[in-house]
Amino acid sequence: EYKAGQLALAKFHDDGRYYSVKLKKDNGDGSFDIMWLEDEAEDTANLEDLKPQLKDFKKGDLVLAKCAEDGRRYTALVQENKGEGYVTVQYIEDESEEEVLIDNVVKQAKKFKKGQTVEAKFPDDGEFYAATVKDDLGKGKYLIEWEDPDGSDPESEMLVDDIQRPRVNIDTFEIGQKLLGEVKRVVPFGCFVDVGAYTDGLVHVSKMSNERVDNPEDYVAEEDEITVWVTQIDTEQNRLGLTMVEGKLGGGGRARREVTHPFADLQVGDEMEGTVEGVRDFGAFVDVGSERAGLVHISRMSDGFVDN
């Protein structure tokens, strides 16, 4: 139940995303007067466009916070959270403090174990090299031992931001393999996930849930740590397909597409008839009888500007 004075998430209809708001007044008609925290603009939101704001950071929590200076996320320690939608954090790299909008703060889920093989950023050149975790020093810092110190100190104290799992080629994975990954980008057609490969894998919107997904951001956010399973490995185009639903490795029960015009037979400029399979903010997917539906991007739908 929502009440005036509490924080919530409200859907911003221009982009379909949810942002933190403060509920100002219950209008008694299924709507609330709200204030967007980011710019303090006042608005009205219907109940169906509200979600609970569940973030509850406490002093000492290790988080990723978006720095106002460059817009990048860095690991920080929570110093104070008054429950007003802003969190005071201290960045572990330089111990500077900043008040950050709660939308721009997420839990730091990246952890490493003693003895784990990793790659760490060498301070002199900024490149990643093989190393082993020697100890967890706490507060987002680790002691690592370089595999090939090359005359330098064999051990270094590193920030968690400068350590990653070793990168691998996608051909080392297997269909159905279970992986732990970090969401790097959320897009209208799904999300891209870092699973430790040289290329991020794609969880298509159709493989995010057993239910229909209209907005991927209702299911994941950047920096989320999620479990996925491998559905497709395309070494020629260096593409990795993933699913968030265990066992949903194929087309989710959809009938096999009838191929009347194979990709190999198509040429640029061919005129074809097709059936619209789906409409998205960025265009439409059209079945023209090939192995997969083709995308008509919004910029190719008309000679003029297409708004919807």
Side-chain angles (χ1 to χ4, degrees):
E1 184 179 351
Y2 298 106
K3 297 179 180 180
Q6 77 179 80
L7 297 181
L9 293 168
K11 186 176 183 178
F12 188 61
H13 286 280
D14 284 3
D15 61 12
R17 298 183 180 184
Y18 284 83
Y19 300 94
S20 289
V21 299
K22 187 170 186 178
L23 304 180
K24 304 291 288 185
K25 177 186 175 183
D26 185 348
N27 294 319
D29 60 357
S31 71
F32 272 86
D33 288 341
I34 63 172
M35 181 185 74
W36 301 98
L37 292 185
E38 187 169 12
D39 58 7
E40 299 186 352
E42 296 187 352
D43 203 347
T44 301
N46 295 321
L47 279 173
E48 57 263 30
D49 291 330
L50 294 177
K51 295 198 303 186
Q53 172 55 273
L54 301 178
K55 291 182 179 179
D56 184 25
F57 299 112
K58 295 179 174 59
K59 184 174 181 179
D61 284 351
L62 197 64
V63 297
L64 278 168
K66 187 176 181 180
C67 178
E69 184 175 344
D70 61 8
R72 297 179 61 186
R73 293 180 187 265
Y74 299 95
T75 299
L77 287 167
V78 173
Q79 301 298 300
E80 186 177 38
N81 179 13
K82 296 180 179 180
E84 296 294 327
Y86 283 85
V87 181
T88 302
V89 303
Q90 182 186 66
Y91 295 107
I92 63 173
E93 184 173 10
D94 59 8
E95 299 186 348
S96 63
E97 293 192 4
E98 184 176 20
E99 192 175 60
V100 184
L101 179 68
I102 196 168
D103 291 350
N104 297 327
V105 183
V106 297
K107 180 181 178 181
Q108 171 55 280
K110 187 163 64 169
K111 296 179 181 180
F112 301 99
K113 298 179 180 179
K114 185 175 180 179
Q116 183 175 349
T117 299
V118 297
E119 291 178 344
K121 185 186 290 185
F122 193 64
D124 289 355
D125 60 10
E127 297 292 330
F128 281 88
Y129 297 96
T132 302
V133 176
K134 299 292 290 183
D135 197 9
D136 181 351
L137 303 177
K139 297 183 179 181
K141 297 180 180 180
Y142 291 85
L143 180 67
I144 62 99
E145 181 178 41
W146 301 103
E147 183 178 295
D148 182 11
D150 196 23
S152 302
D153 191 332
E155 295 184 346
S156 297
E157 183 178 309
M158 305 292 296
L159 304 179
V160 66
D161 294 341
D162 296 329
I163 305 174
Q164 65 183 22
R165 289 172 291 175
R167 303 287 102 177
V168 298
N169 293 316
I170 62 173
D171 60 7
T172 62
F173 296 133
E174 297 179 357
I175 300 297
Q177 184 175 348
K178 181 180 178 180
L179 301 168
L180 187 65
E182 179 183 328
V183 177
K184 306 303 290 185
R185 280 193 299 145
V186 184
V187 291
F189 52 88
C191 65
F192 289 94
V193 183
D194 177 7
V195 291
Y198 289 107
T199 184
D200 292 339
L202 170 64
V203 179
H204 189 265
V205 66
S206 64
K207 291 184 171 58
M208 300 185 79
S209 171
N210 281 323
E211 302 174 351
R212 176 182 172 86
V213 176
D214 293 318
N215 183 9
E217 291 190 338
D218 290 342
Y219 291 79
V220 295
E222 289 183 9
E223 313 292 347
D224 279 357
E225 192 172 81
I226 63 174
T227 299
V228 294
W229 289 264
V230 178
T231 63
Q232 181 188 30
I233 302 171
D234 186 343
T235 55
E236 290 187 3
Q237 299 191 49
N238 198 31
R239 292 177 180 173
L240 180 65
L242 305 169
T243 177
M244 292 167 55
V245 183
E246 185 176 9
K248 196 171 186 178
L249 305 179
R254 187 177 300 175
R256 184 179 296 274
R257 186 188 303 276
E258 182 182 359
V259 178
T260 56
H261 298 91
F263 281 140
D265 295 342
L266 299 182
Q267 296 184 10
V268 174
D270 283 352
E271 182 176 339
M272 310 182 74
E273 292 185 358
T275 302
V276 176
E277 284 194 341
V279 179
R280 298 287 186 270
D281 293 340
F282 51 88
F285 288 96
V286 181
D287 178 6
V288 294
S290 292
E291 289 85 346
R292 295 180 185 175
L295 171 64
V296 180
H297 191 266
I298 191 171
S299 62
R300 306 287 177 86
M301 300 182 86
S302 172
D303 287 333
F305 178 77
V306 176
D307 184 52
N308 186 1

